Amino acid sequence: LDDETRLELVKQDRRSAEIINPLAVGDDVRKWHVVDRNRWLIVSKIGVDIKRYPAVFGHLRQWKTELEERSDKGDHWWELRPCDYYDEFDKPRILFPDIAKESRFAYGEAGLYTVNTTYFICSDSLYLLGVLNSAPVWIYCKQHLTVLGDAEKGGRLRFFRQFVELIPVPKASAQEQQRIANLVKKCLDRQGADCAKWEVEIDNQIAALYGLSMDDFK
């Protein structure tokens, strides 16, 4: 849904907002933040009492024939397909796109839904987010992930699960993790804008945890 349609459905029936959630695609996921494009998704999971949402039901009836013909619907034509991890969308997560030419890990707020051009890690750890967005990890990714083109000349990396889950996360004390998390929080608060000085600090602290110096990458 676009913003105008969502507002109209909520105007018709305020309960519509209960099953309309913000939606993001891979291109919306940027370093530290997710761009709000005013996209929305009707989250009609299996078992939803659609009669409770007459405005949404009326909207969906326009495409009843097409929805009935889907091979991936739920028990009824208005329901989304089965999914084992719907509950994870209601929790904070770390999001990242399937293809990127720079670090683009972001903090996903609870309730934000994403499509299949975006993956997520079931964690709200700001320390982990800082590690994933650090320069040392980006260099690791360029060396170990599948690349479309030349990684040193703007080639895009494929962030498949089998590669991402192997990214080494350095061990850190609770105090070290908190220092990095505090810097990450500043980047999140600024939505990635004018964060260079904090990113340099994050890079240096992460490199030290790996037993390296940023000078080693020059």
Side-chain angles (χ1 to χ4, degrees), residues 157-170:
L157 277 59
R158 302 299 305 273
F159 284 82
F160 293 133
R161 172 181 174 176
Q162 65 264 34
F163 300 130
V164 174
E165 65 185 4
L166 294 178
I167 294 175
V169 178

Side-chain angles (χ1 to χ4, degrees), residues 85 88-89 91-94 96 120-125 128:
Y85 51 88
E88 300 301 332
F89 289 108
K91 305 173 185 176
R93 290 145 290 139
I94 294 175
F96 56 99
F120 63 80
I121 299 171
C122 301
S123 172
D124 60 358
S125 169
L128 178 58

Side-chain angles (χ1 to χ4, degrees), residues 159-205:
F159 284 82
F160 293 133
R161 172 181 174 176
Q162 65 264 34
F163 300 130
V164 174
E165 65 185 4
L166 294 178
I167 294 175
V169 178
K171 293 181 179 180
S173 66
Q175 186 177 26
E176 290 168 330
Q177 291 190 34
Q178 189 59 54
R179 282 201 299 266
I180 292 168
N182 290 341
L183 292 168
V184 170
K185 181 64 165 57
K186 293 180 180 180
C187 296
L188 297 180
D189 289 344
R190 294 295 298 270
Q191 295 191 347
D194 301 320
C195 296
K197 63 180 180 180
W198 300 318
E199 291 176 339
V200 169
E201 290 185 58
I202 291 171
D203 290 344
N204 286 328
Q205 291 189 34

Side-chain angles (χ1 to χ4, degrees), residues 96-100 102 105 119 137-151 155-168:
F96 56 99
D98 60 346
I99 302 176
E102 66 270 324
F105 290 88
Y119 301 136
V137 165
W138 178 248
I139 292 169
Y140 170 90
C141 289
K142 288 194 293 184
Q143 296 171 347
H144 293 86
L145 273 62
T146 298
V147 182
L148 302 176
D150 187 334
R156 288 167 168 76
L157 277 59
R158 302 299 305 273
F159 284 82
F160 293 133
R161 172 181 174 176
Q162 65 264 34
F163 300 130
V164 174
E165 65 185 4
L166 294 178
I167 294 175

